[in-house]
Amino acid sequence: MVTLDFTACAAPVGIVRICEVILTCISFSLVASVGHISQSFWAWCMFTWCFCFCVTIIILLLEFTSLSQKLPISWDDFTTAFAMLATLMVLSASIIYPIFYTCSICGRSIGASVISCVAFLLYATEVGLTRAKPGDTSGFLATVPGLLKVLEAFVACIIFICLNYSHFSRFPGLQWCVAVYSICFIFAILIIIFTICRLLTLFPAPFDKVLLFCNVLAVLMYITAVVIWPFYSLRNNPRPSYCANFLCPWDNLVVITFMTCFNLVAYIVDTVYSFRLTFFIRT
């Protein structure tokens, strides 16, 4: 039996989600009214706003009808993980769209960019509202290590988007880097899925020990990637003279280098938190 829960929409998190739905809807509507552009960056921005709009409104409906309590998943973990993912996706769209598709006289494009930035702030606010506070007994994804797992997986996706097979297939060192990105990404996704589906008990060892071991391994692997990727990709390979615009394939090599360093820092912070939770904090 469906029970309507009006407090789900009247609570601070509910109000924030309603605003997110409105703003993401306005963003993709304004961009769609400008016209379709057959470019991957444009498609990514449109997908981001549409995806966040749809999932957010589904979350609102499930909580309003109390059906979220009947789902066989960890609802708090799911909503927190999505809020973190949406924050990162909308942030990327808020950066990409104005850089590539906005001009000084493009009123609707400027409006969509500004509204997207506000939507990013709202999703970041939702992360702050749903994140586990000290002393809370929340799920793993509501904690800092859980949010870092979402961040690490998202950064890996950006790396995958920028990869060019014809480039990394020529050097075994670059193939190793791709293996590093893939292995660490798969582990992060498995952690997220197992947490949401409440399957952490299937791990053959205590979850905190497994998490710490994999984080340490990821740090060591990413350290090698931070050294090897720029060595093979950028050494004796300056930016070509024909790269006069923003959409230059060579720039993807720099993006991958930066994102590799960024993810290394994320894994180091994740490892520190995991070490602290494993050996110094006991419930």
Side-chain angles (χ1 to χ4, degrees), residues 185-266:
F185 171 76
I186 291 172
F187 172 73
I189 289 297
L190 287 177
I191 288 294
I192 294 171
I193 294 175
F194 274 51
T195 302
I196 292 176
C197 297
R198 298 175 178 172
L199 299 175
L200 294 179
T201 55
L202 298 180
F203 281 97
F207 173 67
D208 55 349
K209 302 295 193 304
V210 174
L211 186 65
L212 178 60
F213 170 79
C214 292
N215 283 338
V216 171
L217 184 62
V219 168
L220 297 176
M221 294 173 69
Y222 259 90
I223 288 175
T224 64
V226 164
V227 176
I228 294 174
W229 181 267
F231 179 81
Y232 283 101
S233 295
L234 302 178
R235 189 181 61 134
N236 299 325
N237 183 25
R239 196 172 194 262
S241 58
Y242 61 81
C243 286
N245 54 53
F246 289 105
L247 299 175
C248 178
W250 184 89
D251 294 340
N252 289 338
L253 304 178
V254 179
V255 173
I256 294 173
T257 301
F258 173 78
M259 289 300 173
T260 302
C261 297
F262 185 91
N263 236 9
L264 172 61
V265 174

Side-chain angles (χ1 to χ4, degrees), residues 10 22 33 52-53 67 71 78 80 111 122 144 146 168 172 194 203 213 221 230 236 244 253 267 282:
I22 296 172
S33 68
C52 294
F53 167 80
L67 292 176
L71 297 177
F78 170 74
T80 304
L122 287 173
V144 172
F168 71 78
F194 274 51
F203 281 97
F213 170 79
M221 294 173 69
N236 299 325
L253 304 178
Y267 275 108
R282 296 292 180 183

Side-chain angles (χ1 to χ4, degrees), residues 13-280:
V13 175
I15 295 173
V16 169
R17 286 172 179 159
I18 292 173
C19 294
E20 292 165 355
V21 168
I22 296 172
L23 294 184
T24 51
C25 180
I26 294 175
S27 292
F28 72 71
S29 298
L30 286 173
V31 173
S33 68
V34 174
H36 178 268
I37 300 177
S38 299
Q39 292 182 356
S40 58
F41 285 162
W42 185 91
W44 166 254
C45 294
M46 282 295 287
F47 169 77
T48 293
W49 294 318
C50 293
F51 172 76
C52 294
F53 167 80
C54 293
V55 177
T56 305
I57 202 169
I58 289 173
I59 290 174
L60 279 171
L61 290 174
L62 290 176
E63 291 200 341
F64 179 67
T65 57
S66 302
L67 292 176
S68 60
Q69 302 173 8
K70 299 177 173 61
L71 297 177
I73 63 173
S74 176
W75 183 252
D76 290 339
D77 281 315
F78 170 74
T79 53
T80 304
F82 169 73
M84 183 65 178
L85 177 62
T87 300
L88 298 171
M89 292 178 67
V90 176
L91 173 62
S92 66
S94 301
I95 295 173
I96 293 172
Y97 189 79
I99 288 177
F100 293 111
Y101 307 110
T102 302
C103 62
S104 58
I105 59 173
C106 304
R108 284 177 289 182
S109 297
I110 294 174
S113 301
V114 172
I115 292 173
S116 180
C117 291
V118 178
F120 155 70
L121 294 176
L122 287 173
Y123 278 111
T125 301
E126 182 181 348
V127 172
L129 292 173
T130 58
R131 183 178 67 86
K133 308 300 188 298
D136 287 354
T137 57
S138 301
F140 170 73
L141 292 180
T143 63
V144 172
L147 295 175
L148 285 171
K149 278 286 166 278
V150 179
L151 173 62
E152 292 155 4
F154 179 79
V155 172
C157 288
I158 296 178
I159 293 175
F160 293 143
I161 293 173
C162 296
L163 285 174
N164 187 324
Y165 177 79
S166 62
H167 175 73
F168 71 78
S169 61
R170 293 180 294 168
F171 304 103
L174 296 184
Q175 294 175 24
W176 162 253
C177 293
V178 175
V180 169
Y181 305 143
S182 302
I183 293 171
C184 296
F185 171 76
I186 291 172
F187 172 73
I189 289 297
L190 287 177
I191 288 294
I192 294 171
I193 294 175
F194 274 51
T195 302
I196 292 176
C197 297
R198 298 175 178 172
L199 299 175
L200 294 179
T201 55
L202 298 180
F203 281 97
F207 173 67
D208 55 349
K209 302 295 193 304
V210 174
L211 186 65
L212 178 60
F213 170 79
C214 292
N215 283 338
V216 171
L217 184 62
V219 168
L220 297 176
M221 294 173 69
Y222 259 90
I223 288 175
T224 64
V226 164
V227 176
I228 294 174
W229 181 267
F231 179 81
Y232 283 101
S233 295
L234 302 178
R235 189 181 61 134
N236 299 325
N237 183 25
R239 196 172 194 262
S241 58
Y242 61 81
C243 286
N245 54 53
F246 289 105
L247 299 175
C248 178
W250 184 89
D251 294 340
N252 289 338
L253 304 178
V254 179
V255 173
I256 294 173
T257 301
F258 173 78
M259 289 300 173
T260 302
C261 297
F262 185 91
N263 236 9
L264 172 61
V265 174
Y267 275 108
I268 291 174
V269 174
D270 196 356
T271 301
V272 171
Y273 264 97
S274 298
F275 187 86
R276 179 171 172 266
L277 292 174
T278 301
F279 295 104
F280 294 99

